[in-house]
Amino acid sequence: MTQFIKYACAPIAWTNDDLPELGKENSFEQCISEMALAGYEGTEIGNKYPKDAEVLKSYLKPRNLSVASAWLSLYLTTKPYEETEKSFIDHMNFLKALGAKVIVVSEQGKSIQGDINCPLFKFKPTFNDEEWKKLIDGLHRLGSIARDNGMKIVYHHHMGTGVQTTEEIKKLMDATDPKLVSLLYDTGHLHFSGEDIVDIFNLYTDRIHHIHFKDIRSTIVEHVKKENLSFLEAVKQGAFTVPGDGDIDFKPILEMIYESDYSGWIVVEAEQDPAVANPFVYAKKAKEYINAI
């Protein structure tokens, strides 16, 4: 297998889709121009991006940017499967038209990540047996649809959801078919949750088909725990930052990735307040840090 790794940047540093007031002044064109200027080859997709694939391509092509993927919220545990399937097919067709190979999915049934008043660690949701069954069955069905279209679903473990911890990631991976369900490996969410970043990669090297690189400011994470703050408050206060600016040492992680057979995108992502952390400056800083390693 020939290793083929490319670097993308997530638009959430310019405008936060979950907290639209963060970066409301930053335009889509500024975002993608600064990504390209910072040295990235790709982008994920934010709410300000054109919804027509051909129009979006017309903006990305002059900047030599490709689409790595885009997030889709699933509600397999709380809504009829058919509702999720419809939104999934629309999302998949959009990404397919843009040349993306993976579809980022995350179960948002019972999620507290979008509730600015809900303490992140105190009220972390869990799934009962019936909800796990709905999630696994639904992922298999969506994974089959993706496979029939030459794509993969990559599951995003995420703070404030029912699949966040090592135990929950293991449960999901053990219960799903590797041919249908892959894993998105997110350094920031693993560290924030208190998981072993290296251990998760080693456990699921063959299942990981998309990577998010986020760094963490541990002092803010401790403050979030102590004060019972929400995920969105953690974001506003700067819990996340780009690689090279926080407390994660990415050198062993990068070495581990390059020594594996991983091929695909590594996406630099750090939801911060762009008025405090200039998105271009931080994106460039991350790329320079990675290049130096």
Side-chain angles (χ1 to χ4, degrees):
M1 179 178 178
T2 303
Q3 192 169 45
F4 190 62
I5 295 175
K6 296 190 291 185
Y7 286 88
C9 199
I12 201 164
W14 280 264
T15 302
N16 191 305
D17 290 344
D18 298 318
L19 286 167
E21 68 270 22
L22 298 185
K24 62 181 183 297
E25 69 282 1
N26 295 326
S27 70
F28 153 69
E29 288 183 78
Q30 175 191 340
C31 172
I32 58 172
S33 294
E34 291 184 349
M35 282 181 189
L37 190 60
Y40 294 91
E41 303 167 85
T43 177
E44 288 194 341
I45 296 174
N47 284 346
K48 286 183 178 176
Y49 283 43
K51 304 299 188 285
D52 181 283
E54 293 306 312
V55 172
L56 179 52
K57 281 193 278 190
S58 75
Y59 282 97
L60 297 178
K61 188 175 179 182
R63 295 164 173 86
N64 293 315
L65 290 174
S66 301
V67 171
S69 189
W71 166 288
L72 179 69
S73 295
L74 307 181
Y75 295 93
L76 296 167
T77 60
T78 55
K79 295 183 180 180
Y81 167 79
E82 290 71 22
E83 288 185 32
T84 295
E85 184 185 89
K86 183 182 183 304
S87 60
F88 177 82
I89 291 172
D90 291 343
H91 187 73
M92 177 191 69
N93 288 337
F94 179 57
L95 287 176
K96 187 177 180 181
L98 291 162
K101 299 299 181 187
V102 299
I103 307 158
V104 176
V105 298
S106 184
E107 176 60 27
Q108 292 299 295
K110 302 175 76 173
S111 170
I112 61 168
Q113 73 179 65
D115 186 344
I116 200 162
N117 297 311
C118 189
L120 179 58
F121 288 94
K122 189 175 181 181
F123 294 113
K124 184 207 167 301
T126 57
F127 296 141
N128 61 34
D129 290 345
E130 181 59 27
E131 289 161 344
W132 272 109
K133 184 178 186 306
K134 287 180 179 179
L135 175 60
I136 292 158
D137 290 349
L139 287 174
H140 281 150
R141 293 171 74 174
L142 299 178
S144 296
I145 295 168
R147 182 181 62 179
D148 291 346
N149 283 271
M151 302 179 77
K152 294 179 186 291
I153 60 171
V154 287
Y155 192 93
H156 193 336
H157 56 89
H158 201 285
M159 295 298 297
T161 73
V163 183
Q164 170 187 309
T165 66
T166 300
E167 182 183 356
E168 290 161 348
I169 293 167
K170 285 181 177 178
K171 187 167 184 173
L172 184 72
M173 291 292 97
D174 289 348
T176 50
D177 184 342
K179 295 185 180 70
L180 300 178
V181 182
S182 300
L183 184 66
L184 184 154
Y185 174 73
D186 189 302
T187 56
H189 283 277
L190 288 172
H191 193 283
F192 200 147
S193 182
E195 316 307 318
D196 187 320
I197 300 174
V198 172
D199 182 51
I200 293 293
F201 187 88
N202 287 332
L203 275 173
Y204 300 111
T205 305
D206 295 339
R207 301 279 298 268
I208 293 167
H209 291 287
H210 202 55
I211 293 174
H212 281 178
F213 267 10
K214 280 204 285 282
D215 212 337
I216 285 288
R217 296 183 177 103
S218 297
T219 53
I220 296 177
V221 170
E222 289 309 310
H223 176 68
V224 168
K225 290 178 180 176
K226 183 180 177 182
E227 299 299 324
N228 282 322
L229 300 181
S230 67
F231 177 73
L232 294 182
E233 277 294 342
V235 169
K236 287 174 74 172
Q237 296 199 20
F240 291 123
T241 186
V242 297
D245 189 58
D247 298 319
I248 299 174
D249 180 4
F250 280 84
K251 189 173 189 294
I253 297 168
L254 268 167
E255 288 173 350
M256 188 171 60
I257 291 167
Y258 276 89
E259 286 167 5
S260 74
D261 288 331
Y262 178 77
S263 285
W265 289 98
I266 295 177
V267 182
V268 169
E269 180 187 40
E271 47 265 56
Q272 303 187 79
D273 183 346
V276 176
N278 182 287
F280 169 65
V281 171
Y282 275 77
K284 190 168 183 290
K285 179 177 184 174
K287 193 64 167 59
E288 289 170 350
Y289 170 74
I290 290 166
N291 288 347
I293 295 174

